[in-house]
Amino acid sequence: MSKIKITQIKSVIDRSERQKRTVEALGLKKINHSVEVEATAAIIGMVRKVNHLVAVENI
């Protein structure tokens, strides 16, 4: 599997509880925080749900 770098670029304030929990489950804590994760189907699905809050780069 390939790895991807996910960076939170927008705040979760004023977002639905579901989106807040998805961002937290991805391992993101605050704006400009980045994590490197394996690009599994579950992670890709989570990123699609909050793609307006995060930036994704292939590694």
Side-chain angles (χ1 to χ4, degrees):
M1 283 275 165
S2 62
K3 292 192 103 176
I4 57 174
K5 180 179 179 181
I6 306 169
T7 306
Q8 183 176 349
I9 57 170
K10 289 191 178 179
S11 174
V12 294
I13 295 174
D14 232 13
R15 303 295 175 180
S16 70
E17 190 64 31
R18 187 172 188 158
Q19 290 178 355
K20 289 179 185 180
R21 290 182 185 214
T22 301
V23 170
E24 183 183 343
L26 286 169
L28 300 170
K29 304 201 183 304
K30 54 186 173 180
I31 296 176
N32 291 327
H33 184 241
S34 297
V35 293
E36 293 181 10
V37 294
E38 291 290 329
T40 63
I43 296 294
I44 298 299
M46 291 166 68
V47 168
R48 285 184 183 161
K49 292 294 183 181
V50 293
N51 65 350
H52 55 288
L53 302 176
V54 299
V56 180
E57 302 173 33
N58 287 325
I59 296 179

